[in-house]
Amino acid sequence: MEKLKCLVLDDEPIGREIIENFVSEIPFLELVSSFGDPLEAMTFLQANKIDLIFSDIQMPKINGLELVRALENPPVIIFITAHRDFALDGFETGATDYLVKPVRFDRFLKAVNKAKDYIELKQGSTVHQVNSDRIFIKSDGKLTKILLDEILYVEAQGDYLKIVINNETYTTLATLKSMDEVLNLPKFFRVQRSFIISLEAIRSLNGNMVELTNGKSISIALNKKEELFQILGIR
């Protein structure tokens, strides 16, 4: 894996220097830039690709939480704060971790390793097709075999997929597009942006809703309804 490109943001020079020194001690991190002004950092982030941001929360003009929310595709975030109360708000923005000042190196290293694991998982494929009737997915830190005939539906939930089979549910870090390439016709159909269903699992159709054998009801996108009916042989 290439070095992770990092940006440090803190309006306090001492705080920036501490994190910059910590970054320089970790071989797989590369400090690309460091800012004391959040607006300058935002301008830089809009024009440059960064893997990981270390950002203070309390800053003038715009705080760290507001900055992240303003970014269209924010990098992985580790927030730094003097107040533990801000931690919950940080996690609500999708932050991987948060560090409380004064930051200790051992705690910094733990947060960085967590971010590294997340980035590697996100960049790598978590859905592996081994033959036409089964796949392996990364779930709960292990590879789990799933038989395609057992899948009822797959739901996109942010960066994750929820895969529902006859008696169990699995969650894995992957896109619905990557799963769509595995679950092809004639057994599966993408009924809308967030759902792929098994055609064998359809119990009934009512208007723009499809009910599955487990009782789950899912809406059908208007531009998908005619295609689904044709596949099912319904005129």
Side-chain angles (χ1 to χ4, degrees):
M1 183 178 180
E2 296 181 358
K3 287 189 175 184
L4 300 180
K5 298 182 182 299
C6 304
L7 180 146
V8 175
L9 173 59
D10 194 328
D11 62 308
E12 297 178 354
I14 294 177
R16 283 200 311 278
E17 184 178 352
I18 290 171
I19 301 303
E20 289 168 6
N21 288 335
F22 285 175
V23 169
S24 68
E25 294 292 324
I26 299 178
F28 59 81
L29 296 184
E30 176 188 348
L31 181 63
V32 174
S33 195
S34 183
F35 292 93
D37 187 324
L39 296 182
E40 290 181 5
M42 182 180 292
T43 300
F44 181 87
L45 288 166
Q46 289 170 339
N48 297 273
K49 183 182 181 302
I50 294 294
D51 299 306
L52 179 59
I53 299 177
F54 300 98
S55 176
D56 189 17
I57 292 183
Q58 286 185 296
M59 293 181 290
K61 299 179 184 175
I62 178 174
N63 66 40
L65 301 173
E66 293 167 339
L67 181 143
V68 172
R69 292 188 184 112
L71 295 173
E72 186 174 349
N73 293 302
V76 173
I77 311 290
I78 295 176
F79 278 122
I80 302 168
T81 177
H83 304 283
R84 291 182 182 273
D85 294 343
F86 285 116
L88 182 58
D89 291 333
F91 282 125
E92 287 177 349
T93 65
T96 300
D97 207 343
Y98 77 97
L99 301 170
V100 178
K101 296 180 179 181
V103 180
R104 305 189 321 269
F105 182 76
D106 63 326
R107 182 64 184 85
F108 177 85
L109 182 59
K110 182 178 179 181
V112 165
N113 281 326
K114 182 178 178 182
K116 177 174 176 284
D117 288 345
Y118 177 79
I119 291 170
E120 287 179 341
L121 187 59
K122 194 171 183 179
Q123 289 177 345
S125 174
T126 61
V127 179
H128 306 271
Q129 184 167 17
V130 292
N131 56 40
S132 60
D133 69 347
R134 71 197 61 191
I135 58 175
F136 279 85
I137 64 168
K138 291 180 182 176
S139 182
D140 295 327
K142 59 186 177 183
L143 285 171
T144 300
K145 180 180 73 176
I146 294 180
L147 298 177
L148 300 187
D149 285 344
E150 293 184 346
I151 296 175
L152 299 178
Y153 69 90
V154 181
E155 179 182 0
Q157 296 183 329
D159 291 331
Y160 292 84
L161 293 182
K162 182 172 77 171
I163 302 171
V164 179
I165 66 174
N166 291 334
N167 299 311
E168 297 178 88
T169 298
Y170 297 95
T171 301
T172 187
L173 183 66
T175 64
L176 202 62
K177 182 177 183 296
S178 68
M179 184 62 80
D180 204 9
E181 293 170 354
V182 175
L183 304 180
N184 292 319
L185 289 172
K187 293 185 176 181
F188 296 91
F189 185 76
R190 187 166 179 173
V191 292
Q192 49 140 294
R193 184 175 62 181
S194 300
F195 285 91
I196 297 172
I197 66 169
S198 165
L199 298 181
E200 292 294 326
I202 295 175
R203 173 181 287 164
S204 64
L205 297 157
N206 183 14
N208 289 323
M209 300 297 294
V210 56
E211 182 186 356
L212 303 183
T213 53
N214 67 339
K216 175 75 172 179
S217 292
I218 300 170
S219 63
I220 308 168
L222 292 177
N223 63 339
K224 291 285 189 176
K225 183 177 178 180
E226 182 178 349
E227 184 181 355
L228 175 61
F229 275 44
Q230 286 179 349
I231 292 169
L232 295 173
I234 300 172
R235 298 290 184 264

